[in-house]
Amino acid sequence: MIGRPLLKLLPVFLALSLDAGADEPEQLTAKIAWGGYFRSGVPTEIGLTLISAEGGRAAVRLVSGDTAPIDAALAVDPGTPRFISIPVTPSAEQPIRISGFLPNRRTFEAEIAASYPISGRAVAVAAEGVETNSLLESLAGTAAVISAHASDLPRMAQSYQVVDMILLGDREFAELDPEQFEALSDYLRDCGRLVFLGAEETWENLEAEAGCGGAFAIRAEHPGQGAELAGELLDRAQPSLPGIQDLRDLSAAQPPMALRTAAVLLFCYFTALSVAGLTSSRPWPLFLLPLAFSALAAALLTGKPPEMRLTGWTETSVGDDNARFVALLTVSGTGRWQGRLPAPIKFWLPKAETYPDIQLDIDRPETHGLALKTELFSYDELLFRGTIRRFHLPLTLDLDQDAVAVANPGGTTQPAGLLAWDGKLFALPSLRPGERWSAENQAPVAPDSPEAYKLRPYLNRDRMAALLIPYASRLWRGNEVPGDAEWLLIKARL
């Protein structure tokens, strides 16, 4: 799609009449975000409008691409349209299948296709007055341009993965509903690229949400300048969060409990078998031991909840009010078991092949959950990603030309960590409340740990320091999911 002319977004919708003869026809309408543009295997969302002649509880089931099926429950009032957004991961080969029932138990089934695949970089334009030719010239053929209305913008942050940048106008911003504004704010906190064409007062609200020190959010005075800034902004490399392999390397988890239990049982079994064979003159112990240990293994390993561990990474910069994070959840089966893990859908859509479904209660988002199904020795990984608004720094960094100092302004003792500064790595001691520590005249340490390896990119950056400390965040998980290795990266610049 590189260098193609402006792509007109055509409405993608489905209207399914369930009772054409009724005074208040029952109907389902579906529309995919970004007007149907999508990336194969990348999360986006579908907006559904339900109209029912009777009030009560309705249910919708979505099946799309490689994502686990999503079951959503919601309440509808009689004759009143009810709009909801549900995450989907479209595939170019398969349509999105929609099914469910209304309060009167009338069922529905339908399919909708995400019609316009995107393969390269794409810039979305939701702003009046931006000339297509000027924008394409500024982008120098490196990205496609798609036009979007305010109603096409998503209500879930993960849907912004479809585009690489958005040009947003004042009028279009004013038309966003609260859910769309929250999704846009999440996108900005995650260092998403934005060129805003609008009033200074509105821009101040958006700028306050921008992560990465506001390096990827720019205000343009007029549409011509917006086109010029778009090309410059698209070339800025966004800082990446650790991926799955990075989080695996950071993890200090022991082998799964089921594996450790099986190893102990096998050792005890062969020991008992050897002792029985050497000390008993009768053969019956040799026949009973396998049965006894099989029964013991079944008792220890069947029907037990899985072992779950979390490896998390949060990062922010001094002066930022927000933070971004990524977390890897590992689920190790200790036997055949079914249950549910709380997993707010706003923290992106996890990918898992073996889980039966994701369960959403639209009216009670705190009950959103991911259905779990494990077997003996099964192992699955789920990657979550999100942002934190109004993040409170547990430590502060004061940086000047000659030294960097770290202070603990809070009321609790902070754990020891690592500091990258001036091409060297320093060991930060644990700091009590009100305590201050300086790297000046301190001896550097060798970067010989996985967490120290993550600081290497900051060792040779001029006028910059990076601090890494253990940090436990319980934003989306409960106490039933213990943290394995969780870290907070704080960056500071002169």
Side-chain angles (χ1 to χ4, degrees), residues 58 134 174 177 226 236 258 294 314 333 340 360 432 474:
S134 298
D177 62 34
R236 294 184 189 175
S294 296
T314 303
R340 198 170 76 165
L360 308 179
R432 295 185 298 273
R474 300 189 179 277

Side-chain angles (χ1 to χ4, degrees), residues 160-216:
Y160 275 94
Q161 295 179 82
V162 173
V163 299
D164 298 278
M165 181 172 60
I166 179 171
L167 278 71
L168 181 64
D170 217 350
R171 183 180 64 82
E172 289 76 10
F173 174 78
E175 294 176 1
L176 299 182
D177 62 34
E179 288 182 329
Q180 288 177 306
F181 174 75
E182 180 59 30
L184 178 63
S185 298
D186 268 327
Y187 168 73
L188 291 175
R189 290 194 293 268
D190 198 37
C191 305
R193 299 185 183 96
L194 169 74
V195 176
F196 181 69
L197 295 91
E200 180 70 30
E201 306 80 55
T202 306
W203 168 242
E204 291 177 357
N205 294 328
L206 286 173
E207 189 178 26
E209 300 292 336
C212 292
F216 300 94

Side-chain angles (χ1 to χ4, degrees), residues 142-412:
T142 61
V145 176
I146 61 176
S147 176
H149 300 288
S151 60
D152 295 319
L153 268 61
R155 291 166 175 81
M156 296 182 176
Q158 60 262 38
S159 305
Y160 275 94
Q161 295 179 82
V162 173
V163 299
D164 298 278
M165 181 172 60
I166 179 171
L167 278 71
L168 181 64
D170 217 350
R171 183 180 64 82
E172 289 76 10
F173 174 78
E175 294 176 1
L176 299 182
D177 62 34
E179 288 182 329
Q180 288 177 306
F181 174 75
E182 180 59 30
L184 178 63
S185 298
D186 268 327
Y187 168 73
L188 291 175
R189 290 194 293 268
D190 198 37
C191 305
R193 299 185 183 96
L194 169 74
V195 176
F196 181 69
L197 295 91
E200 180 70 30
E201 306 80 55
T202 306
W203 168 242
E204 291 177 357
N205 294 328
L206 286 173
E207 189 178 26
E209 300 292 336
C212 292
F216 300 94
I218 304 175
R219 175 178 175 264
E221 297 287 346
H222 52 81
Q225 185 186 34
E228 296 175 4
L229 293 174
E232 174 190 338
L233 185 58
L234 193 61
D235 290 335
R236 294 184 189 175
Q238 296 165 305
S240 60
L241 291 169
I244 288 183
Q245 188 57 53
D246 295 314
L247 295 171
R248 289 172 183 157
D249 294 340
L250 286 169
S251 175
Q254 296 180 343
M257 178 62 72
L259 189 60
R260 302 199 301 270
T261 303
V264 171
L265 285 174
L266 286 174
F267 174 78
C268 294
Y269 169 69
F270 283 113
T271 300
L273 194 64
S274 300
V275 171
L278 293 174
T279 60
S280 178
S281 59
R282 299 180 180 181
W284 61 265
L286 301 179
F287 292 102
L288 290 180
L289 281 174
L291 297 176
F293 273 90
S294 296
L296 181 60
L300 292 175
L301 297 175
T302 301
K304 302 292 184 182
E307 185 178 12
M308 294 181 283
R309 306 291 296 184
L310 188 88
T311 303
W313 180 277
T314 303
E315 66 178 58
T316 187
S317 299
V318 173
D320 270 0
D321 290 334
N322 310 305
R324 51 207 295 253
F325 75 89
V326 63
L328 177 65
L329 180 70
T330 60
V331 183
S332 303
T334 56
R336 186 182 296 274
W337 181 87
Q338 289 189 14
R340 198 170 76 165
L341 173 73
I345 214 65
K346 68 167 293 184
F347 290 147
W348 307 70
L349 184 64
K351 294 182 179 180
E353 296 179 355
T354 59
Y355 294 161
D357 65 276
I358 298 171
Q359 300 164 353
L360 308 179
D361 190 327
I362 302 299
D363 303 310
R364 296 185 298 167
E366 68 278 2
T367 64
H368 289 353
L370 179 68
L372 301 179
K373 182 179 181 181
T374 63
E375 305 287 344
L376 181 61
F377 303 132
S378 64
Y379 182 82
D380 288 287
E381 295 178 325
L382 296 106
L383 186 67
F384 294 87
R385 181 175 174 176
T387 64
I388 307 171
R389 172 179 281 165
R390 307 297 181 259
F391 181 74
H392 175 70
L393 286 175
L395 295 174
T396 62
L397 277 77
D398 295 324
L399 186 64
D400 59 33
Q401 294 287 355
D402 302 317
V404 59
V406 182
N408 179 5
T412 59

Side-chain angles (χ1 to χ4, degrees), residues 419-458:
L419 173 71
W421 175 68
D422 195 26
K424 304 179 184 67
L425 195 68
F426 299 89
L428 172 74
S430 176
L431 297 181
R432 295 185 298 273
E435 191 173 2
R436 183 180 177 89
W437 175 89
S438 174
E440 191 175 8
N441 299 324
Q442 299 288 336
V445 297
D448 56 358
S449 63
E451 56 270 19
Y453 180 80
K454 296 301 296 180
L455 282 176
R456 287 184 179 179
Y458 304 98

